[in-house]
């Protein structure tokens, strides 16, 4: 009889074994774990089981085992302390922190001066003061990034990449929040726009729209492009670089740490290389990377400026007698309408480089299109150094260029045909 009473006794939370309950709790998010503390004493004790908080510390705050050991705290305590500091950014922190960590790890052996130019993170009160100064809320992902690093000192080279042509140079610094606030725009055409970067050579900036206005979406990152044919100074078109700060920053970092943007003389050059843009003729390989220059482009009139970087390399296994010199170039340039232009001339950028086994020659040049995209292809003509009368052509792979998405200014759309 007593056994039957025992079997029919109601199943309670207190009577359930610990291990299955801990397993169930291990699938809960941190919010649910905290809520469990208010359900019962048993759940409160179980939800404080320290290993449960290890996953959340790693997922949301990227806290490593080494950091835990250094701080000599339990996982739950680490989670709570970090949350009390940057908890408002919990939806952004891991992505932004990982981008910063990856970027610094990649740049430290390659561009140490650039890493040293980074400033310590801003305080919450500093960011609050900027919001009060500009009268707008800053995007949370922007604030999150600036809690980690408050931009960089105004130095060259800039963290946000460089670009160099024979008569043009650009290097963009990541602005600290106070300098950015000083450049906050309220004028027509750029209302509610905060500069993210600045180039001391060209005055170029990338902006983030902290409010939706004048056809811009809130949080969009863009380069401004004044309408050169409009009388209205508010007619500013946009080359859109990112939908949010996170999108903009993490995509840039991914391009850097993946080797997509080359490091040249301690600078990040924002050339994009398509792995398929490679052609090999005999012992010589030609590869191409390209970049769009917004500061030299316009939407109205349509004028899209591109630069390209070409690498010519002879295999190290080539025979010494294969050494050769470039004589001339031929280009076939096609725009988006199918219009073709052919260009032929001596050398490249005024030079006649010699290529020998294992040697590399690189140069940059530029082109413009009246359409938003186009492509180039062609060949170089070489002669052998040991057989000067023997010439041959080396293929240049077809490479495409396309400007970023752009949006025409509301001011221009509202203007009449005579304006």
């Amino acid at each position: 009889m007593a056994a039957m009473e025992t079997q029919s006794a109601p199943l309670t939370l207190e009577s359930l074994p610990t291990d299955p309950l801990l397993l169930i709790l291990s699938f809960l998010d941190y919010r649910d774990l905290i809520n469990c503390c208010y359900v019962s004493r048993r759940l409160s004790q179980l939800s404080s089981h320290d290993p449960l908080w290890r996953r959340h510390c790693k997922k949301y705050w990227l806290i490593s085992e080494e950091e835990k050991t250094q701080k000599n705290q339990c996982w739950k305590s680490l989670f709570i302390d970090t949350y009390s500091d940057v908890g408002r950014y919990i939806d952004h922190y891991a992505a932004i922190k990982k981008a910063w960590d990856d970027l610094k790890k990649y740049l430290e052996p390659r561009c140490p001066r650039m890493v040293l130019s980074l400033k310590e993170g801003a305080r919450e009160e500093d960011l609050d003061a900027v919001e009060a100064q500009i009268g707008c809320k800053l995007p949370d992902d922007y604030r999150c990034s600036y809690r980690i690093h408050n931009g960089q000192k105004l130095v060259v080279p800039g963290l946000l990449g460089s670009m160099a042509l024979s008569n043009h140079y650009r290097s963009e610094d990541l602005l600290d929040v106070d300098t950015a606030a000083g450049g906050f725009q309220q004028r027509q055409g750029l209302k509610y726009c905060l500069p993210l970067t600045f180039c001391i050579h060209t005055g170029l900036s990338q902006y983030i729209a902290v409010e939706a206005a004048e056809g811009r979406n809130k949080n969009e990152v863009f380069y401004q492009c004044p309408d050169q044919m409009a009388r209205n100074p508010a007619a500013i078109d946009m080359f859109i670089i990112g939908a949010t700060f996170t999108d903009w920053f993490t995509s840039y970092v991914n391009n850097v740490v993946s080797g997509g943007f080359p490091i040249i003389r301690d600078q990040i050059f924002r050339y994009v290389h398509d792995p398929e843009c490679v052609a090999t003729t005999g012992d010589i390989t030609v590869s191409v990377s390209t970049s769009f220059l917004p500061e030299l482009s316009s939407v109205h009139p349509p004028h899209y400026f591109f630069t390209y970087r070409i690498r010519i390399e002879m295999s190290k296994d080539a025979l010494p007698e294969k050494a050769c010199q470039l004589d001339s170039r031929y280009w076939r340039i096609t725009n988006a309408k199918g219009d073709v232009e052919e260009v032929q001339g001596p050398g490249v950028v005024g030079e006649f480089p010699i290529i020998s086994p294992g040697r590399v020659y690189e140069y940059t040049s530029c082109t413009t299109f009246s359409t938003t995209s186009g492509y180039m292809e062609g060949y170089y003509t070489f002669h052998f150094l040991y057989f000067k009368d023997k010439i041959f052509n080396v293929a240049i792979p077809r490479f495409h260029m396309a400007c970023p998405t752009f949006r025409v200014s509301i001011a221009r759309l509202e203007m009449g045909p005579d304006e």
Side-chain angles (χ1 to χ4, degrees):
M1 187 71 177
M4 290 180 61
E5 289 179 356
T6 302
Q7 290 176 1
S8 61
L11 188 65
T12 66
L13 188 63
E14 303 299 325
S15 65
L16 288 174
T18 296
D19 287 348
L21 284 174
L22 287 175
L23 179 61
I24 293 170
L25 291 176
S26 72
F27 292 99
L28 299 184
D29 197 8
Y30 74 95
R31 298 176 181 87
D32 300 316
L33 271 182
I34 292 172
N35 289 333
C36 285
C37 295
Y38 303 102
V39 175
S40 70
R41 181 177 297 177
R42 178 97 193 278
L43 274 184
S44 178
Q45 292 172 340
L46 290 173
S47 62
S48 295
H49 184 59
D50 202 49
L52 292 174
W53 292 91
R54 178 177 179 272
R55 177 171 67 92
H56 301 299
C57 283
K58 290 179 176 289
K59 176 182 177 181
Y60 292 107
W61 310 131
L62 305 186
I63 297 174
S64 66
E65 300 280 354
E66 292 75 17
E67 288 177 284
K68 177 183 181 296
T69 301
Q70 290 172 3
K71 294 185 177 181
N72 195 27
Q73 289 180 268
C74 67
W75 288 113
K76 184 178 180 181
S77 174
L78 277 172
F79 184 91
I80 292 173
D81 285 355
T82 310
Y83 188 92
S84 66
D85 182 30
V86 290
R88 68 178 288 177
Y89 312 119
I90 196 164
D91 293 331
H92 307 288
Y93 188 87
I96 297 292
K97 181 68 161 58
K98 182 179 185 305
W100 272 116
D101 289 348
D102 289 348
L103 184 61
K104 289 188 292 184
K105 181 180 178 181
Y106 185 82
L107 292 180
E108 275 169 355
R110 297 170 175 86
C111 309
R113 289 184 305 152
M114 196 179 294
V115 176
L116 290 174
S117 75
L118 297 176
K119 295 187 175 183
E120 295 294 323
R123 301 173 301 170
E124 282 294 301
E125 50 265 40
D126 298 329
L127 297 169
D128 291 341
V130 165
E131 289 185 339
Q133 176 184 339
I134 67 176
C136 293
K137 292 290 185 184
L138 299 171
D140 265 354
D141 54 352
Y142 173 94
R143 287 183 61 122
C144 178
S145 180
Y146 277 67
R147 285 299 314 275
I148 298 169
H149 281 293
N150 185 16
Q152 66 174 142
K153 302 167 188 173
L154 288 178
V155 296
V156 176
L159 184 72
L160 267 295
S162 302
M163 187 56 59
L165 294 172
S166 58
N167 58 352
H168 181 80
Y169 180 75
R170 179 232 301 169
S171 187
E172 292 182 64
D173 289 297
L174 180 65
L175 294 176
D176 64 62
V177 70
D178 289 324
T179 306
F184 181 68
Q185 298 291 319
Q186 283 286 36
R187 67 184 178 90
Q188 281 194 325
L190 284 175
K191 291 192 71 173
Y192 306 119
C193 293
L194 187 76
L196 292 175
T197 69
F198 181 70
C199 170
I200 61 176
H201 303 90
T202 64
L204 182 73
S205 287
Q206 295 182 65
Y207 287 89
I208 185 168
V210 297
E211 297 287 348
E214 300 176 323
R216 285 180 292 276
N217 297 322
K218 187 175 181 179
N219 299 335
E220 272 184 331
V221 179
F222 65 95
Y223 282 109
Q224 62 163 319
C225 178
D227 188 331
Q228 298 177 10
M229 299 180 70
R231 298 175 186 173
N232 186 347
I236 295 176
D237 302 317
M238 300 165 48
F239 290 114
I240 301 168
I241 310 301
T244 64
F245 180 90
T246 300
D247 174 45
W248 171 75
F249 185 63
T250 57
S251 62
Y252 175 74
V253 170
N254 288 338
N255 270 316
V256 174
V257 303
S258 68
F261 289 162
I263 305 291
I264 305 169
R265 297 184 298 278
D266 298 329
Q267 299 183 68
I268 303 167
F269 277 82
R270 282 160 54 179
Y271 286 99
V272 179
H273 175 63
D274 181 349
E276 296 184 0
C277 243
V278 177
T280 299
T281 305
D283 296 302
I284 298 177
T285 297
V286 177
S287 59
V288 187
S289 52
T290 64
S291 184
F292 174 71
L293 270 63
E295 68 270 34
L296 300 178
S297 301
S298 68
V299 175
H300 192 61
H303 178 83
Y304 305 100
F305 193 103
F306 298 89
T307 177
Y308 51 89
R309 183 174 183 84
I310 295 188
R311 176 185 175 94
I312 306 172
E313 180 176 10
M314 179 174 282
S315 169
K316 64 181 180 180
D317 299 323
L319 297 173
E321 55 265 31
K322 292 294 183 73
C324 54
Q325 185 170 22
L326 191 152
D327 294 323
S328 63
R329 69 195 185 279
Y330 165 80
W331 287 113
R332 182 179 173 87
I333 306 167
T334 308
N335 68 18
K337 295 179 180 178
D339 301 329
V340 176
E341 178 186 4
E342 294 183 285
V343 177
Q344 193 158 10
V348 288
V349 293
E351 298 182 352
F352 299 86
I354 292 174
I355 307 293
S356 56
R359 298 295 299 272
V360 174
Y361 176 78
E362 293 181 295
Y363 74 95
T364 58
S365 191
C366 57
T367 191
T368 60
F369 289 100
S370 59
T371 56
T372 55
S373 64
Y375 63 87
M376 295 174 61
E377 58 196 328
Y379 59 81
Y380 299 117
T381 299
F382 284 82
H383 72 265
F384 288 110
L385 294 183
Y386 295 99
F387 312 97
K388 294 184 183 294
D389 58 341
K390 190 172 182 180
I391 64 171
F392 62 99
N393 293 332
V394 171
I396 305 171
R398 177 181 293 187
F399 55 97
H400 293 263
M401 292 158 280
C403 80
T405 300
F406 64 81
R407 190 173 302 132
V408 175
S409 71
I410 293 295
R412 174 145 66 89
L413 292 176
E414 292 174 346
M415 290 187 295
D418 297 330
E419 297 178 271

